[in-house]
Amino acid sequence: MSNPYAQSQLASVTARGGAWLIDIVASLVVAAVVSLPVGVASAGLADLPFLLVPVGWLVVSEAVWGHTPGKWIVGIEVVDTNGDEVSAVAAVVRNVTKIVGGGSLLLILAGVVFIADSSDNQRLGDQWADTLVVRV
């Protein structure tokens, strides 16, 4: 695959990991705040924000802005392999694998291996969605 970015412009594993950590912590804090009134309204739904907020945080922010707040803080963004803005479909595809893969340390490590093994620093979700994570 040919892309308009030099290897030096691709986001590193550490930058991606730092952005992911920021996003997870921040989205869980938001989910906890949202969960309080939801739990008061219906105790059975109190855990729902802990599923919906992190997923929405990742997918919606990448689809709308091309980056999550964590990616923005560390100075990286998601683009398609032509260097254009990422589509909403691509944001969903790349994050579904992140959500599934974030469920265990073994799958997170597999994602790191995919990034390290890829000439374009892509994890499996990036390969399926034809996206790159680049420095801005």
Side-chain angles (χ1 to χ4, degrees):
M1 156 183 16
S2 168
N3 71 61
Y5 290 94
Q7 183 67 28
S8 63
Q9 294 172 298
L10 298 173
S12 67
V13 172
T14 53
R16 292 172 69 142
W20 177 80
L21 185 61
I22 292 166
D23 286 327
I24 291 303
V25 169
S27 68
L28 290 176
V29 168
V30 171
V33 170
V34 170
S35 179
L36 294 173
V38 170
V40 168
S42 173
L45 297 177
D47 292 337
L48 194 57
F50 288 98
L51 173 65
L52 297 179
V53 170
V55 171
W57 184 281
L58 297 172
V59 173
V60 173
S61 60
E62 284 185 6
V64 173
W65 300 296
H67 56 78
T68 61
K71 285 181 180 70
W72 178 76
I73 289 169
V74 301
I76 60 178
E77 70 180 358
V78 181
V79 296
D80 72 14
T81 53
N82 294 319
D84 297 323
E85 291 182 3
V86 66
S87 70
V89 171
V92 170
V93 169
R94 72 180 306 278
N95 282 295
V96 164
T97 59
K98 186 184 296 179
I99 293 160
V100 171
S104 77
L105 181 58
L106 181 61
L107 293 174
I108 292 170
L109 292 175
V112 171
V113 169
F114 269 103
I115 293 169
D117 189 49
S118 166
S119 62
D120 290 326
N121 291 6
Q122 294 173 297
R123 52 180 193 79
L124 190 57
D126 291 312
Q127 293 173 14
W128 288 351
D130 291 325
T131 57
L132 300 169
V133 182
V134 297
R135 295 185 306 145
V136 289

